[in-house]
Amino acid sequence: MKELVDYIEMKIPAKPEYVGIIRLTLSGIASRMGYSYEIIEDLKIATSEACTNAVQHAYKQNEGGEVVVGFGLYSDRLEVMIADNGKSFDFEKTKKELGPYSASSQVDQLPEGGLGLYLMETLMDEVRVLVNSGVTVFMIKYLSEERIDHGTTISNYEAN
């Protein structure tokens, strides 16, 4: 495993209107790292789903709360962490209750609430969930050999 080059952390209020800020930040980070447009869109969808789950399910109405989003930038991958301190759920139990799905599953046949988990696992290379006093979602997307050079990439950064 390559060593961490940079770490960026953001804390947003657990409100839907702030999820777009995370999407924009992620887009800038992923573009700078050299991900293709298609992969950046996948990253944005998966991260938005995790953030939306935290916003919608972590806190009771008007309780307030925060969602912490961390981006670990490596020369070969991007790690995204989304954490809340709200109500926990059992990821495996919830996933099992939603029923089995696979890459061949039809999206319109997924049960309500199961699309977010399906998208995260389908679009990212690795997804891990830690349930403790809140929920923390770790997602990893590896850079392929087909990097897009937008000027200063991580490898350029290391050389400077």
Side-chain angles (χ1 to χ4, degrees), residues 8-154:
I8 299 166
E9 186 173 285
M10 299 176 67
K11 187 184 296 184
I12 61 169
K15 297 178 179 177
E17 57 265 32
Y18 292 100
V19 174
I21 293 171
I22 299 300
R23 288 174 53 93
L24 288 171
T25 302
L26 172 63
S27 179
I29 291 169
S31 177
R32 182 179 167 94
M33 291 179 70
Y35 284 97
S36 69
Y37 173 79
E38 292 80 17
I39 298 297
I40 291 171
E41 291 302 308
D42 290 349
L43 284 162
K44 287 166 53 181
I45 291 169
T47 302
S48 290
E49 288 297 328
C51 288
T52 300
N53 283 343
V55 166
Q56 290 181 343
H57 303 295
Y59 305 101
K60 295 176 184 168
Q61 276 191 334
N62 301 324
E63 180 183 12
E66 295 174 327
V67 177
V68 177
V69 182
F71 303 99
L73 288 67
Y74 296 80
S75 61
D76 65 338
R77 68 189 181 282
L78 174 64
E79 294 183 358
V80 182
M81 177 200 73
I82 296 97
D84 66 66
N85 290 315
K87 183 178 75 177
S88 298
F89 70 94
D90 184 331
F91 177 76
E92 289 299 328
K93 180 181 173 211
T94 302
K95 196 165 97 174
K96 193 175 286 182
E97 288 173 355
L98 295 170
Y101 60 83
S102 67
S104 63
S105 297
Q106 297 294 318
V107 172
D108 61 347
Q109 295 175 354
L110 290 171
E112 185 176 337
L115 187 58
L117 294 172
Y118 170 80
L119 288 172
M120 285 186 267
E121 290 194 339
T122 302
L123 299 174
M124 301 298 285
D125 293 325
E126 294 180 34
V127 176
R128 289 179 277 157
V129 177
L130 172 66
V131 179
N132 202 345
S133 60
V135 176
T136 303
V137 177
F138 288 99
M139 300 184 292
I140 299 174
K141 189 68 174 180
Y142 290 95
L143 274 164
S144 68
E145 295 301 317
E146 299 175 20
R147 298 177 81 167
I148 304 207
D149 190 1
H150 295 289
T152 305
T153 61
I154 296 300

